[in-house]
Amino acid sequence: MSTAVGYAAVAGQVVVVGAGAPVLTGWMRQVRARLEGRAGAGVLQPWRDARKLLRKEPVTPIGTGPAFRAAPALLVASTAVVVALVPLLSTDTPVSGHADLILVVALIALGTLALALAGLDTGTAFGGMGASREMTVASLVEPTLLLSVFALSIPAGTTNLPAIVSGAVHEPARLASPAGLLAVAALAVAVLAETGRIPVDNPSTHLELTMIHEAMVLEYAGPDLALVELGAQMRLTLLLGLLSSLFVPWGIATGTSWAALALALVLFAVKVTLLGAVLAAAEVFWAKVRLFRVPELLAGSFLLALLAVTASYFLSGTS
């Protein structure tokens, strides 16, 4: 791919996810509202909320250290780096060679760790509780993310995400295999847990017995809270985009054409919008599982990912 188109693809991914993540969240809330018989606040409400928060004065609790102050910026920055690395619009960019599976999962975990440290740094009961719950969930989610994508990397012979996606574009039979179906099921559950969605967590509640993510960020206000909310929205958009790139990769640019890149942008928006609508609609009919049942759900997804790796290994060995 030419240098100009490659850099445009990287910049386009960051801009589209950064600017579109709040819109996706507003769209999902609107879908839920309509299905529940409500009018809803509108698709652009998250942007209006962010504007309101940015006008407020930042407040830092007494006794907090650098972990609390740095976490919001670190969450957004680490997510933006991952967005630049993963193949959302193109598989051939100047940073494609660095988009290794282990690096991407580590950067995603870095944002989770930053928020957990910030929750502990406040010294409050809610912060410590949320951080403990979040790290328990993360300890089960991160291996599932690794194994589910690793199952797709075995036929490709590499853990480079653009190479995996490019191979899936040219050999779609991989995705219809038993390993591919098991991997998509495991990754879907991991995405729900990583983004704090129902049935693992409820992003719209502040009940002590149920909340995980919200407990860690209760002490944030003003611009810091706006960054935390933006980071969470970007992570949701990123993981839905990664899910679509890995299992519905058609339309991602693999050549040097500006037209192919423009088409990839449109199809990316369509795929993520549809996934967001499906997730929002499912949440209307799902109930949040009890907190002590969450590890069982995540352990089941890990088992699916492990089965996907095993099936992929044997299928690759017999082909």
Side-chain angles (χ1 to χ4, degrees), residues 17-265:
V17 172
V23 178
L24 176 64
T25 301
W27 162 249
M28 293 175 63
R29 292 176 182 173
Q30 192 69 22
V31 171
R32 287 196 60 175
R34 292 296 183 179
L35 291 176
E36 293 171 354
R38 299 182 288 111
V43 175
L44 296 180
Q45 184 60 41
W47 270 120
R48 291 191 285 267
D49 293 339
R51 183 180 61 184
K52 180 177 66 175
L53 290 173
L54 290 173
R55 293 175 177 175
K56 294 186 176 182
E57 179 183 358
V59 178
T60 303
I62 298 176
T64 54
F68 180 84
R69 293 187 292 271
L74 184 58
L75 174 65
V76 174
S78 61
T79 306
V81 173
V82 178
V83 171
L85 289 174
V86 298
L88 299 178
L89 301 181
S90 173
T91 60
D92 188 6
T93 67
V95 297
S96 293
H98 305 287
D100 186 77
L101 166 63
I102 298 175
L103 174 62
V104 167
V105 174
L107 287 173
I108 293 174
L110 178 61
T112 302
L113 178 61
L115 280 184
L117 290 176
L120 291 173
D121 198 19
T122 61
T124 63
F126 273 125
M129 177 189 68
S132 175
R133 292 176 176 179
E134 182 71 11
M135 295 313 296
T136 300
V137 171
S139 66
L140 295 171
V141 170
E142 309 303 339
T144 303
L145 286 174
L146 280 171
L147 286 180
S148 58
V149 183
F150 186 70
L152 302 178
S153 73
I154 293 177
T158 178
T159 57
N160 182 266
L161 288 176
I164 295 173
V165 173
S166 180
V169 171
H170 299 295
E171 297 182 34
R174 296 179 184 175
L175 306 177
S177 65
L181 297 177
L182 289 170
V184 69
L187 187 59
V189 176
V191 168
L192 294 177
E194 186 67 33
T195 55
R197 310 297 303 192
I198 294 175
V200 177
D201 192 14
N202 189 345
S204 60
T205 185
H206 287 81
L207 296 177
E208 176 183 355
L209 296 177
T210 60
M211 63 182 177
I212 300 177
H213 173 79
E214 295 296 326
M216 298 185 295
V217 302
L218 281 178
E219 302 299 323
Y220 282 110
D224 290 334
L225 181 57
L227 283 178
V228 171
E229 293 295 333
L230 177 62
Q233 293 160 358
M234 289 178 63
R235 283 162 70 94
L236 174 61
T237 307
L238 164 68
L239 290 172
L240 290 181
L242 180 60
L243 187 64
S244 67
S245 295
L246 288 172
F247 298 100
V248 194
W250 300 280
I252 296 179
T254 57
T256 60
S257 170
W258 286 99
L261 183 60
L263 178 62
L265 176 59

Side-chain angles (χ1 to χ4, degrees), residues 24 28 239-241 243-244 270-280:
L24 176 64
M28 293 175 63
L239 290 172
L240 290 181
L243 187 64
S244 67
V270 171
K271 288 186 286 188
V272 172
T273 300
L274 289 176
L275 282 177
V278 171
L279 176 57

